Amino acid sequence: MDDRKFLLEAFLEAEQAKDEGTYPIGAVIVDSEGTIISRGRNRVFSSCDTTAHAEVDAIRRAGSSMVDIENKKFLKKNYTLYTTCEPCPMCSCTILLSFNIKRVVWAANDVEIGAMRKFKEGPHFLNRFNKISIEAAPFKDLEIRQRTMLAEWFIRRGYPDTSWQYNNEIV
């Protein structure tokens, strides 16, 4: 898999979310052949839905690729979810309960609300989270890009001292 290529696809969704006036976070879900099966972006403010996070949006849009409606079964595919930001607790558990996502790659760690790494460390649902591999912030330039986008978002909303504005330089 070309992690950078698919993270850049997730950034296209993040840019669109930003243009729509909501959190600039995007996600894509990719099958084992490298085909994007779903795209998602944060729609919290554009859809007035507090659960409309990028990862959840992508999972919702991938529904027919994840669930066999006729037989009422999960298809249990081996998908990779790429997202511009470490998934929060809600998104991490949605990923877990999709039963199809076996790998998660994100551009920027989220020290405040990111949960995927915390869940992987246990103790809750450890037997389930151990079945999902993660790649945390593998590209420094993409991490900085996401951190900068979120810093600008929070500052524009009147939060001048956000953790996203720090550590945004390539060294």
Side-chain angles (χ1 to χ4, degrees):
M1 288 287 195
D2 187 348
D3 291 347
R4 184 178 189 83
K5 171 186 169 184
F6 294 119
L7 282 172
L8 289 172
E9 290 292 326
F11 270 102
L12 294 175
E13 296 297 319
E15 291 288 345
Q16 194 165 350
K18 181 177 88 171
D19 292 346
E20 293 170 356
T22 192
Y23 293 93
I25 300 173
V28 296
I29 299 175
V30 178
D31 68 17
S32 57
E33 285 79 46
T35 302
I36 295 174
I37 64 157
S38 179
R39 296 174 172 275
R41 64 181 171 274
N42 188 287
R43 299 172 192 266
V44 168
F45 293 111
S46 58
S47 294
C48 195
D49 178 354
T50 60
T51 68
H53 293 201
E55 300 86 347
V56 172
D57 188 41
I59 291 168
R60 287 174 178 161
R61 293 171 185 277
S64 63
S65 298
M66 294 184 166
V67 177
D68 176 352
I69 293 294
E70 187 175 315
N71 295 306
K72 309 290 188 238
K73 293 182 180 181
F74 291 95
L75 294 175
K76 299 196 179 172
K77 301 283 185 162
N78 290 316
Y79 295 143
T80 299
L81 184 141
Y82 292 89
T83 180
T84 58
C85 191
E86 181 178 2
C88 72
M90 178 184 70
C91 294
S92 294
C93 288
T94 302
I95 291 164
L96 175 74
L97 294 174
S98 78
F99 301 106
N100 289 278
I101 297 169
K102 302 300 180 192
R103 184 169 178 254
V104 180
V105 181
W106 61 82
N109 292 320
D110 185 343
V111 297
E112 291 184 351
I113 198 162
M116 201 74 184
R117 289 174 297 158
K118 291 174 185 163
F119 281 133
K120 289 281 292 174
E121 293 168 4
H124 306 294
F125 307 110
L126 194 53
N127 63 328
R128 297 259 179 151
F129 276 104
N130 280 340
K131 296 176 183 176
I132 301 171
S133 69
I134 63 171
E135 294 293 329
F139 306 103
K140 183 71 172 168
D141 62 319
L142 295 182
E143 179 172 23
I144 291 168
R145 180 176 173 184
Q146 179 62 46
R147 294 186 64 75
T148 301
M149 288 173 71
L150 283 165
E152 290 169 354
W153 161 253
F154 279 102
I155 291 167
R156 272 195 316 272
R157 292 177 52 230
Y159 300 99
D161 190 27
T162 171
S163 64
W164 293 108
Q165 71 195 58
Y166 304 106
N167 302 316
N168 290 342
E169 295 179 14
I170 296 179
V171 288

